[in-house]
Amino acid sequence: MSNNNILLSIQDLTISYGNIKAVKGISFEVNEGEIVTLIGANGAGKSSTLRGISGLVSYRGVISFRGQDLKSISADKIVAKGIAQVPEGRGIFGNLTVLENLKLATWSRKDKQEIRKDYQRVFDIFPRLSERQGQLGGTLSGGEQQMLAVGRALMSRGTMMLLDEPSMGLAPVLVREIFSVLKEINQSGTTILLVEQNANMALQVASRGYVLETGVISHTGTGHELLGDPRVKEAYLGG
Amino acid sequence: MTYLLQQVLNALQLGSIYALIALGYTMVYGILTMINFAHGDLFMVGAFFCFLAATFLHLPFVPTLLIAMIGVALLGVLIERFAYKPLRQAPRVSAIITALGVGIFLENFTLVFAPYPQHVPTLIKNTTWVVGGVSISSLQLIIIALSLVLMAFLDFIVRKTMVGMAMRAISWDKAIVPLMGIPLNLVISATFALGTSLGGAAGVMYALAFPVIDPYMGILIGWKAFIAAVVGGIGNIRGAMIGGFILGGVEILVAAFLPSTYRDFVAFTLLLVLLIFRPYGILGKPRPQKV
């Protein structure tokens, strides 16, 4: 493990909303090229952790990306550093077309030719989006919106992608499709931090996983180990 | 018939001024869901910038217009930064009361320097042509044409440019916008700059058409333009344009055929009736529930 390149490191992260502590001093890291998953029930602090990394909420502790402390960097600059987030509930702009949604994510990029290639890449991965380029985001189905959300994250060309429950509200067949795309994206060089309630799916694709319980990490291991762990099984995999 | 055509022309002139002001209300509402009640007073400040540039700097029309638009835009951006931004997480009513306070401040600040109504010099040589019995003045044509150009420009920015896309994205879901790598505050500032500069331009045109100005001139016109924005569908840019022209049209036509003291009464009754049937305004849509 020691020869791995740590891309994202979280040390003693604490996030509070008023008097409520959502995340209580967790530490973990994500190495370059990995898929790491944070699993846990509702309210375990998974989304808060992602929001902290993206700079959307204030926190105590240290989050560093490629060795650089992110604390004083604003959310929009963090995207430019290479961290793209697919937010909970997809966060599609329903009043913008599919193409406009994708285009917005290139705000901080200047490389016109590369951007053009990335549109092509997104449309190759999700042909459905190509067919619906001119359609408003709000008229897409849940699965298509999730594809668009992932496509948007690709357009900002992060070296790291954070995903907040991409399986939420999707039919099993679509969940499988999204997860196989995530694996492809990972294989082409994007490091992934995946937050999921669907522990089974997440652990199957993940290199490593962390189990969050009410703001603290209770178990950790490789995806395979956690899938086989009786405690994890009982709590998150339906026995 | 000639009389009617004449009134239509007058309605277009008044309507384009209402439309320009209404755009400022609707843009700010679109991105921040707050009503910038100081906007009518920014329109007044635009008229005073026009007065200052023309009287003391002896500038011709175009530089005067630019000074007023840029001056009001800067003022609008500063007001947002220092008065509204600290209240972004506060209840909406706090922001609205603050906006009313900013408006009162602007009126009284201007009052210190202009305790009496001021006369704006003529910047556009007023030629009048008579076409088929309808008299058309050069000023009228310039006001209508310039307003249309400014509106087309705004429409282009909002629909076709990256900044405009970001504005529309903010109006849908402000929280997601930073995740696209977009600096939220910059886009909000740009929206204020654009919206208020149109109000400043309207102030200049109004001051040229009705050349006696005073610090309270923005109150009633501001309210009317706000109502025009609501009638068009608040938050909707094309709606604000349509609402402005409808209000201008209704006001002029009422004054043309009824005693002019009935003007506001009849005009606003009609608009209220319209809102009963279209409560979200002409182009406004009830916001779909997000799941």
Side-chain angles (χ1 to χ4, degrees), chain B residues 188-213:
Chain B
I188 290 177
S189 292
T191 310
F192 265 85
L194 261 180
T196 52
S197 69
L198 294 182
V204 172
M205 290 185 234
Y206 193 85
L208 296 180
F210 309 95
V212 178
I213 63 172

Side-chain angles (χ1 to χ4, degrees), chain A:
Chain A
M1 292 290 271
S2 58
N3 56 355
N4 279 336
N5 266 330
I6 294 178
L7 192 60
L8 180 77
S9 132
I10 314 280
Q11 284 153 35
D12 207 18
L13 177 71
T14 303
I15 297 176
S16 317
Y17 303 102
N19 291 326
I20 302 155
K21 269 192 180 173
V23 179
K24 303 168 185 163
I26 63 170
S27 300
F28 65 95
E29 68 278 337
V30 181
N31 301 313
E32 202 147 12
E34 277 187 314
I35 298 183
V36 171
T37 182
L38 288 180
I39 57 174
N42 247 338
K46 306 182 304 285
S47 296
S48 296
T49 304
L50 288 196
R51 293 169 60 76
I53 299 169
S54 287
L56 294 178
V57 290
S58 53
Y59 55 83
R60 280 186 296 140
V62 180
I63 299 177
S64 55
F65 182 65
R66 296 185 181 285
Q68 186 184 12
D69 188 351
L70 294 183
K71 187 161 262 168
S72 57
I73 302 178
S74 64
D76 55 289
K77 295 285 189 312
I78 287 176
V79 177
K81 295 241 169 268
I83 302 182
Q85 190 184 143
V86 178
E88 190 177 8
R90 301 154 200 138
I92 294 306
F93 300 114
N95 58 340
L96 268 57
T97 65
V98 167
L99 200 60
E100 287 173 333
N101 266 284
L102 293 173
K103 197 170 177 189
L104 261 192
T106 66
W107 179 282
S108 46
R109 292 178 62 181
K110 300 275 175 290
D111 45 345
K112 284 230 168 72
Q113 282 189 335
E114 292 297 306
I115 290 175
R116 215 166 300 139
K117 273 188 215 161
D118 284 349
Y119 280 123
Q120 204 45 56
R121 180 175 172 218
V122 170
F123 292 144
D124 285 344
I125 298 174
F126 301 115
R128 290 263 276 290
L129 294 183
S130 176
E131 291 161 25
R132 292 169 200 270
Q133 285 182 43
Q135 211 168 306
L136 291 183
T139 66
L140 300 180
S141 72
E144 289 161 350
Q145 288 195 354
Q146 191 63 66
M147 293 172 194
L148 181 53
V150 173
R152 227 170 35 175
L154 286 172
M155 290 307 295
S156 69
R157 204 184 255 193
T159 41
M160 173 149 204
M161 194 184 284
L162 315 177
L163 294 110
D164 197 345
E165 300 212 21
S167 76
M168 191 167 61
L170 296 188
V173 58
L174 282 169
V175 175
R176 273 195 292 279
E177 193 182 332
I178 292 283
F179 273 77
S180 80
V181 165
L182 292 183
K183 261 173 123 171
E184 268 175 52
I185 291 171
N186 175 249
Q187 272 152 20
S188 63
T190 307
T191 306
I192 289 178
L193 176 60
L194 172 66
V195 153
E196 262 299 344
Q197 281 194 64
N198 188 337
N200 191 26
M201 277 310 282
L203 290 173
Q204 278 179 33
V205 297
S207 7
R208 292 185 303 114
Y210 295 88
V211 180
L212 262 182
E213 268 172 43
T214 56
V216 292
I217 290 175
S218 59
H219 313 288
T220 173
T222 65
H224 201 72
E225 283 166 6
L226 288 173
L227 270 176
D229 189 318
R231 292 166 304 178
V232 176
K233 246 184 192 164
E234 194 183 344
Y236 304 103
L237 302 173

Side-chain angles (χ1 to χ4, degrees), chain B residues 47-133:
Chain B
F48 271 88
F49 273 133
C50 167
F51 164 73
L52 292 174
T55 310
F56 297 109
L57 304 175
H58 306 291
L59 292 172
F61 175 63
V62 173
T64 299
L65 177 72
L66 289 177
I67 283 180
M69 287 179 74
I70 294 168
V72 174
L74 284 176
L75 192 57
V77 170
L78 287 177
I79 288 171
E80 193 278 325
R81 245 322 121 84
F82 293 107
Y84 303 158
K85 193 180 163 211
L87 294 170
R88 231 179 257 165
Q89 309 304 328
R92 291 294 77 188
V93 69
S94 311
I96 287 172
I97 289 169
T98 305
L100 286 168
V102 169
I104 293 170
F105 169 80
L106 290 176
E107 287 155 23
N108 289 282
F109 184 84
T110 313
L111 195 64
V112 171
F113 298 98
Y116 308 106
Q118 306 291 323
H119 194 88
V120 179
T122 311
L123 288 179
I124 292 169
K125 198 168 142 256
N126 211 350
T127 325
T128 306
W129 300 278
V130 179
V131 182

Side-chain angles (χ1 to χ4, degrees), chain A residues 54 56 75-76 79-80 85 87 89-96 100-101 103-108 138 152, chain B residues 159-160 162-163 165-166 168-184 186-187 291:
Chain A
S54 287
L56 294 178
D76 55 289
V79 177
Q85 190 184 143
R90 301 154 200 138
I92 294 306
F93 300 114
N95 58 340
L96 268 57
E100 287 173 333
N101 266 284
K103 197 170 177 189
L104 261 192
T106 66
W107 179 282
S108 46
R152 227 170 35 175
Chain B
R159 272 165 205 278
K160 298 290 176 205
M162 205 72 166
V163 164
M165 244 181 258
R168 284 182 285 143
I170 291 177
S171 80
W172 185 266
D173 191 346
K174 202 162 52 216
I176 304 295
V177 168
L179 292 179
M180 304 293 109
I182 299 169
L184 189 65
L186 187 79
V187 180
V291 258

